Amino acid sequence: GCMLNGKLYPLGHIERTEDCYTCTCRQTEIRCCSLFSTPVSYDKENCKVVFNKKSCDYDVVQKNDPSKHCFEGKRV
């Protein structure tokens, strides 16, 4: 298997790690890609970015009321 951030994963395809990556574990290496994209265009004055580990993505929420989402522009 492969060790990643202190956790042992089996050989083969890993759909989702605890840290929100998808990986391929081989005898000699492990390759991973993130399952999330980073918001870049949003109202930085009134909004903030928080990581949602349940959905493996970032949420853009209002600074004064984090229960409300902000409109987002494009993601990278």
Side-chain angles (χ1 to χ4, degrees):
C2 297
M3 188 68 77
L4 182 66
N5 295 330
K7 182 164 179 171
L8 184 63
Y9 290 93
L11 289 174
H13 180 72
I14 302 155
E15 193 70 35
R16 177 179 162 175
T17 68
E18 289 179 356
D19 297 329
C20 296
Y21 287 87
T22 181
C23 301
T24 302
C25 172
R26 297 196 174 110
Q27 290 281 349
T28 57
E29 67 180 356
I30 185 167
R31 290 185 180 213
C32 300
C33 293
S34 66
L35 293 170
F36 48 89
S37 57
T38 305
V40 292
S41 179
Y42 61 93
D43 181 355
K44 292 175 177 65
E45 189 174 312
N46 297 307
C47 304
K48 65 180 179 177
V49 176
V50 292
F51 190 70
N52 183 333
K53 202 164 186 176
K54 188 174 185 179
S55 67
C56 283
D57 208 353
Y58 287 98
D59 293 332
V60 179
V61 297
Q62 293 180 11
K63 285 182 180 178
N64 59 355
D65 187 355
S67 68
K68 293 183 181 175
H69 286 266
C70 290
F71 174 76
E72 297 176 51
K74 66 179 184 174
R75 290 170 164 242
V76 178

